[in-house]
Amino acid sequence: MAKSVTIRVPEDLHAQLQERAEAEGTTVTALITEAARNAVRDPRLEGAAGVFRQFVADNADAFDAAFPDDAPARRDAAQFPGRAA
């Protein structure tokens, strides 16, 4: 069951939240909820995505060779540095 939390924010911040929510097709409540989730996220997981991305970048050619039918057709050069685009 969801709990209700009431906070007060300055008008300019509220306007910025509304603009961003509209731009992302979401709600102010959803933005604030995500920010709260990020605030309590386990810090041990902070580097996990970077480690995974580096592992993929370092081993992508081997995976592509081992599983040619599953190799991506397009690669993002920024996401996979050192690999052909």
Side-chain angles (χ1 to χ4, degrees):
M1 180 172 172
K3 290 285 194 175
S4 180
V5 176
T6 302
I7 63 169
R8 295 191 182 280
V9 296
E11 286 184 30
D12 62 324
L13 176 57
H14 187 262
Q16 290 173 330
L17 287 165
Q18 283 183 312
E19 286 177 23
R20 182 159 181 183
E22 288 175 15
E24 294 183 14
T26 189
T27 64
V28 170
T29 299
L31 289 177
I32 293 172
T33 299
E34 183 62 23
R37 286 185 205 283
N38 290 338
V40 297
R41 181 173 288 143
D42 188 335
R44 295 173 295 176
L45 299 177
E46 289 301 314
V51 170
F52 177 74
R53 279 192 289 278
Q54 188 61 50
F55 175 81
V56 169
D58 292 345
N59 298 285
D61 290 332
F63 279 101
D64 290 351
F67 306 100
D69 293 338
D70 296 323
R74 178 182 149 277
R75 295 188 182 103
D76 183 293
Q79 191 173 13
F80 299 105
R83 294 195 64 193

